[in-house]
Amino acid sequence: MAASSTSSFVVVANRLPVDRVPESEGSGFRPSPGGLVTALEPVLRSHGGIWIGWPGSSLGDDDVFEADGLKLKPIELSDQDVEQYYEGMSNGTLWPLYHDVVAKPAFRREWWDAYVQVNRRFAETTARCAAHGAVVWVQDYQLQLVPAMLREMRPDVTIGFFLHIPFPPSELFKQLPWRDQILKGLLGADLVGFQRPGGAANFARLVRLRQGHKTHRDKILLGDGRQVAARAYPISIDFQRLEQLAKSQSVMARTEEICREIGGDRRILLGVDRLDYTKGIRQRLRAFGELIVDGAISVDDAVFVQVASPSRERVQQYVEVREDIERWVGRINGNLGRIGRQPVHYVHSSYPREEMAALFQAADVMVVTPFADGMNLVAKEYVTCRHKNDGALVLSEFAGASDELKQAFLVNPHDINGLKEAMLAAMRADPRDLSRRMRAMRKQVREHDITAWANAFLADLAA
Ligand code: G6P
């Protein structure tokens, strides 16, 4: 349905909250992958406004349209844009560089040129969609040049930027051949938000060192008299909506079904991730397999369920990580399982929210082990679904969520023995201890939900 094309509140992200389903798969729309959409969809719903982004495939029509009560403005990407701007510069260069070079970033000049061009198109479209004096909120690493480009086109608008992934220390960031252009791009915003205080500090240090700007606390003082604030705003989820879903009869019934089907009297350990090399999936499977080999647990008392949703499947490192994980699953099941008793259930698929809520409730232990992660909303979703105050969370100290979920079993995912100990401790913990931990974590997420996050950012932006 066509809708009015300007707004006083505009969210700009690489992806729209919905992906167009290709005709070959039935057409229509489905929710887009990733934490950014999970978090921001309820924000747009409550604030109104337009969301500008890529619908994942061609729509053949670029008017503002309405889907599920949200006003959306699609931006088309050509095959070459997808290859060079999205798979290349965004996910072959910036993603690994910003995630502690867990994989090697590639620096390709044609990717950079495409990144500049696509960022300009996003800025131009935003300039057309923003009403006079509008608030524009630009999201994530794919669009770091948009703030400065938009400021030049539309000095009347207020611009916020939020980075959903870690912002690296200057020693890593300095590798980027286009480091100064990126910093200038971000400085076009009035407020630059990060997941963790360390990210904000890294950014402030870089603009001081490389651009010679003075900084005072969390303010950057630009030569032209303008000030840019750089602060941490740990992102969250819609606690109430998810908790309500988890408590619904249909989800509770499905939970029981899952427990019967795969659990029985076995403890269920669960991993849920986009299939990404930053997530430490292999390490957690390996730790689980070793626990069986050591005799600490057996296939009759524990099962590991790993849901890995397909992601960036044409990028070479993602092809490799999938092969690697599937090899490990095969090896563990082949060596340690028997007919009818698989130690690992692995699915390469994404599921609707209802199914995920049921899985979270069925899991005795949630295992979240990224090497680097802006926040990791899966950890917060698990906690939200545990309305009976039971269940255990094993959480990497390298996920932003570990700053808030301190009662989790915290681990260093590079340390396989430590990981094994934490998984075992989580499986063997006293239920009263688990309940105490879970109550504290649930309180934290309930009191720091997505509304609190958006209100804090937007209030600072207005100020
Ligand atoms: C992360 C990023 C998002 C991204 C999402 C899914 O959460 O921070 O910007 O949209 O992953 O990745 P994709 O490449 O499929 O958009």
Side-chain angles (χ1 to χ4, degrees):
M1 187 206 302
S4 149
S5 58
T6 65
S7 178
S8 56
F9 182 61
V10 183
V11 167
V12 193
N14 174 56
R15 270 189 193 278
L16 285 178
V18 288
D19 264 356
R20 184 188 160 84
V21 179
E23 255 169 41
S24 58
E25 292 168 37
S27 67
F29 292 95
R30 67 181 158 219
S32 307
L36 184 156
V37 164
T38 310
L40 274 164
E41 189 255 4
V43 174
L44 191 76
R45 209 171 275 291
S46 66
H47 284 76
I50 296 182
W51 182 316
I52 298 174
W54 173 49
S57 67
S58 177
L59 279 177
D61 177 3
D62 62 0
D63 272 354
V64 173
F65 67 102
E66 233 173 285
D68 192 20
L70 300 173
K71 250 202 240 176
L72 310 174
K73 166 78 185 166
I75 292 202
E76 297 285 334
L77 296 183
S78 68
D79 290 349
Q80 190 176 334
D81 293 337
V82 171
E83 207 182 304
Q84 299 189 336
Y85 147 80
Y86 169 71
E87 295 170 343
M89 187 68 200
S90 297
N91 292 311
T93 308
L94 295 170
W95 180 269
L97 182 71
Y98 282 29
H99 285 90
D100 280 351
V101 293
V102 172
K104 193 168 165 40
F107 300 118
R108 302 263 298 264
R109 284 166 287 181
E110 65 275 23
W111 291 358
W112 169 253
D113 293 341
Y115 186 83
V116 176
Q117 273 178 30
V118 174
N119 269 248
R120 183 159 299 121
R121 276 190 17 235
F122 270 83
E124 283 163 359
T125 303
T126 308
R128 281 196 298 275
C129 289
H132 186 80
V135 169
V136 175
W137 198 356
V138 184
Q139 311 292 325
D140 230 358
Y141 60 102
Q142 303 93 340
L143 301 177
Q144 293 173 97
L145 303 179
V146 169
M149 289 171 167
L150 181 61
R151 177 164 298 281
E152 222 178 290
M153 297 170 199
R154 290 289 304 273
D156 60 295
V157 299
T158 303
I159 306 171
F161 179 92
F162 187 78
L163 186 71
H164 293 252
I165 66 174
F167 190 80
S170 66
E171 291 70 19
L172 293 181
F173 186 82
K174 277 191 321 203
Q175 291 183 15
L176 192 64
W178 312 281
R179 53 204 180 177
D180 293 321
Q181 290 94 313
I182 295 273
L183 293 177
K184 281 193 186 127
L186 291 171
L187 287 173
D190 298 290
L191 172 61
V192 185
F194 299 87
Q195 299 278 26
R196 303 177 94 166
N202 288 345
F203 177 68
R205 178 153 186 267
L206 269 158
V207 295
R208 226 174 20 240
L209 292 178
R210 298 211 51 83
Q211 315 255 305
H213 296 306
K214 290 206 173 79
T215 58
H216 178 63
R217 297 215 177 106
D218 54 11
K219 297 257 170 51
I220 299 156
L221 317 170
L222 304 186
D224 60 4
R226 215 162 57 79
Q227 288 190 2
V228 178
R231 284 180 206 140
Y233 300 86
I235 204 166
S236 195
I237 56 168
D238 190 337
F239 182 93
Q240 277 193 355
R241 191 163 78 160
L242 183 56
E243 188 191 48
Q244 210 173 17
L245 179 71
K247 285 179 170 169
S248 70
Q249 253 185 8
S250 58
V251 169
M252 298 289 280
R254 177 67 187 135
T255 304
E256 277 177 26
E257 203 173 85
I258 295 173
C259 290
R260 262 199 319 274
E261 275 175 8
I262 52 171
D265 47 8
R266 294 195 289 178
R267 318 298 303 278
I268 300 178
L269 290 88
L270 176 67
V272 174
D273 313 78
R274 269 186 318 97
L275 186 34
D276 194 297
Y277 51 81
T278 59
K279 303 289 185 186
I281 300 174
R282 185 218 298 168
Q283 283 63 17
R284 74 180 74 135
L285 292 176
R286 189 167 167 191
F288 180 71
E290 285 191 17
L291 284 173
I292 300 176
V293 173
D294 297 348
I297 56 172
S298 88
V299 290
D300 294 315
D301 48 49
V303 56
F304 201 110
V305 178
Q306 176 64 52
V307 177
S309 49
S311 187
R312 307 172 191 166
E313 290 190 280
R314 298 195 318 183
V315 178
Q316 186 52 27
Q317 289 138 335
Y318 288 79
V319 174
E320 285 166 18
V321 73
R322 179 172 179 194
E323 282 168 0
D324 180 50
I325 286 162
E326 294 182 353
R327 241 193 331 264
W328 272 96
V329 171
R331 192 178 299 172
I332 295 172
N333 282 341
N335 289 345
L336 306 174
R338 54 173 201 269
I339 308 287
R341 265 293 190 241
Q342 275 190 350
V344 179
H345 285 238
Y346 163 81
V347 272
H348 182 242
S349 175
S350 47
Y351 288 107
R353 295 178 64 73
E354 291 73 15
E355 181 71 2
M356 295 317 301
L359 264 174
F360 287 139
Q361 288 196 85
D364 300 288
V365 182
M366 182 80 213
V367 191
V368 182
T369 53
F371 300 122
D373 208 334
M375 175 54 59
N376 197 294
L377 291 179
V378 166
K380 291 190 174 180
E381 287 176 336
Y382 177 69
V383 163
T384 302
C385 288
R386 305 304 302 198
H387 52 87
K388 295 180 182 161
N389 294 309
D390 55 2
L393 174 65
V394 173
L395 178 62
S396 163
E397 60 194 64
F398 302 119
S402 67
D403 288 349
E404 295 173 85
L405 306 179
K406 296 195 169 76
Q407 296 77 11
F409 292 82
L410 293 175
V411 290
N412 167 4
H414 298 281
D415 170 12
I416 301 283
N417 283 346
L419 199 47
K420 285 163 69 179
E421 278 162 27
M423 282 160 66
L424 211 51
M427 275 187 271
R428 291 180 175 168
D430 182 312
R432 279 168 310 185
D433 177 37
L434 291 183
S435 162
R436 182 188 55 79
R437 291 173 185 251
M438 192 52 79
R439 272 175 213 281
M441 292 192 286
R442 286 174 53 74
K443 180 167 187 283
Q444 172 68 26
V445 182
R446 188 186 305 114
E447 289 174 2
H448 299 86
D449 67 353
I450 190 64
T451 309
W453 173 79
N455 288 348
F457 186 98
L458 292 172
D460 284 358
L461 184 58

